[in-house]
Amino acid sequence: MKVSLNFITPYQSSLTLVLRELPDGHVSGIFIRFVILLELLVTPFHLCLKMASSPSRSEDGFIRGTFYDDFIWGAATAAYQIEGAWNEDGKGPSIWDTFCHVGGNVHNNDTGDVACNSYHKIEEDVALLKNLGVGYYRFSISWSRVLPKGTVNKVNPLGVKYYNKLIDRLLDNGIKPAVTLYHFDLPQALQDIGGWHNPNIPDVFNEYARFCFQEFGNKVKLWLTINEPHEEALDAYGLGSFAPGIKEMQAGPYQAGHNMLLAHAKAWHTYDKEFRQVQDGKISIVVNGQWYEPKTNKEEDIQAADRGMQWFLGWMAHPVFFGDYPEVMKSRIKEKSDAVGISSRLPSFTEEEKHFLKGTADFLALNFYSVSYAEHQDLSKEKNITWGYHTDQEMKASKDPTWLKGAPDWLYCVPWGMRKILVWLKEQYNDPEIIITENGFSVCGEHDLPLPAALNDKDRVTYLKGYINEALKAVMFDGVRLKGYFVWSLLDNFEWDDGYRFRFGIHHVNFDHPNRPRYPKHSAEVYKEIVAKNGFP
């Protein structure tokens, strides 16, 4: 990290103030050294006072400073959301192809059949990244593009060629690939035999991961196994809003999440034992979460906020770092399962599995977007209550209507949540290295705006500057070992069950034009400047 007087204190340097008051020629080296020493001695006290006096729901003002010299700056996408070419060059169908083509599952019956057409626009997308000045591009491999049936028994060489071409173009332009193995688009052939509920799928995923390490690992140094297993488990196997659309809230998410964790662990160990020494890369799983702030200072609301954090983030992070689920999840789900005469709906890890899972993260990869207030909700006296992922928590979430709202109902611009969640992760998981693998904003009404109005995304600019600055505070004031940041997303894209109505891109894509032209938004220029300056010097 660069150290300057602006880093020593977020306020204007005392040295600068003193020098300003002195006439020319009246400053000695001894005097300057005295003022610097005084600055160093006094600053920690001022910082402590300022931190201690900060109200819990309003944070310090904007600060100046920069990140580590080797800080990772990147942009992120996912295969189904941008590639298109859903049935070209030997690709097999994924669950999202099936889910969209059935109709009635996605807003406006949108599909990812063409999306941003990135399968045919490698050069354009790499040029956008090059212009941003980022050092990394996070993208995902479409499992069914390289293995049409989901298993290594049938390989699609044209799919492998596509990703090699993309990786080579990135490296030619000084951009390193950060590759996600799985981002929601399971091969349909694997869903036909149970998908993430099939107890054998961890082994199938491991073979797919080994195949990717073999094919691309010599050129990829940053791997991510599974994107947001929490979201996949809850939305795809509980709420049914994501492909494959299974609605079974009582145990469906817990079983799917359990198998994804075991799949991740197998892939991590395969990389660690068979590839790490030669390929010299790092590998982790991507957890996601929002910050839950207690709605009041009541102990029951503080505990409710903690349950929200554990169910959302700890559910997937605890096993990877500690080998088992959070204790509060295990005890409460067992208690509510016992009450209706069934075994715990949360599967248990064997002692061997706990040992196998523990420590399977070379860093903590975090997707973070928004904040909610949390308050205790006693459901024990409710008649005919059905216990499941949400009710198990007995936590009610709400938003502050004064917050800047994004397009989806769940998304608000609350920058101080970034610092809080980073500090929470530092304290919960023994000070890990952290990379923010997604963070971004969808502006209300943006999809209806014509050019050039759609490019003036001032709310997204407010969001990005605020969140990145709060991340800087976590580094400077709290000692969080934040190593990188990926903006979501490089492009407007297919936003799952919301289709194309919510736009997260820092580049506008015209989905009405057959060529899917891209245009930089104001946020792209602002992010480019932040990257170039490595923060806010």
Side-chain angles (χ1 to χ4, degrees), residues 261 285 287 313-324 364 425 429:
L261 284 164
I285 190 171
V287 297
L313 210 158
W315 178 19
M316 299 300 167
H318 254 62
V320 168
F321 282 90
F322 301 138
D324 203 358
L364 193 152
L425 291 170
Y429 300 113

Side-chain angles (χ1 to χ4, degrees), residues 128 205 413 508:
L128 296 179
F205 178 81
C413 177
H508 173 83

Side-chain angles (χ1 to χ4, degrees), residues 230 261 287-290 292 305-329 346 349 364 366 389 421 424-425 428-429:
H230 165 280
L261 284 164
V287 297
N288 68 309
Q290 61 176 302
Y292 284 103
D306 180 69
R307 292 196 299 274
M309 295 299 296
Q310 299 298 350
W311 254 263
F312 206 131
L313 210 158
W315 178 19
M316 299 300 167
H318 254 62
V320 168
F321 282 90
F322 301 138
D324 203 358
Y325 296 116
E327 196 60 41
V328 67
M329 285 190 74
L346 181 68
F349 295 114
L364 193 152
L366 172 70
Y389 173 85
I421 199 167
W424 187 85
L425 291 170
Q428 285 278 315
Y429 300 113

Side-chain angles (χ1 to χ4, degrees), residues 499-518:
Y500 297 99
R501 65 173 171 165
F502 296 152
R503 309 291 175 89
F504 280 85
I506 59 173
H507 293 93
H508 173 83
V509 177
N510 183 352
F511 293 105
D512 295 325
H513 193 288
N515 197 39
R516 302 299 197 269
R518 289 95 154 99

Side-chain angles (χ1 to χ4, degrees), residues 168-241:
D168 289 341
R169 290 294 181 274
L170 291 169
L171 293 174
D172 289 345
N173 285 273
I175 302 165
K176 297 177 182 178
V179 178
T180 308
L181 291 171
Y182 181 73
H183 199 126
F184 300 165
D185 52 348
L186 192 73
Q188 182 60 44
L190 296 181
Q191 185 58 46
D192 292 342
I193 56 172
W196 287 109
H197 278 169
N198 187 326
N200 296 319
I201 199 168
D203 291 319
V204 179
F205 178 81
N206 186 44
E207 289 305 309
Y208 161 59
R210 177 183 282 112
F211 171 82
C212 290
F213 299 149
Q214 291 169 339
E215 292 292 337
F216 312 115
N218 289 333
K219 296 179 283 190
V220 175
K221 305 303 178 186
L222 196 60
W223 289 99
L224 301 159
T225 54
I226 297 174
N227 179 75
E228 297 182 354
H230 165 280
E231 218 63 32
E232 173 82 335
L234 177 60
D235 292 345
Y237 291 87
L239 295 170
S241 56

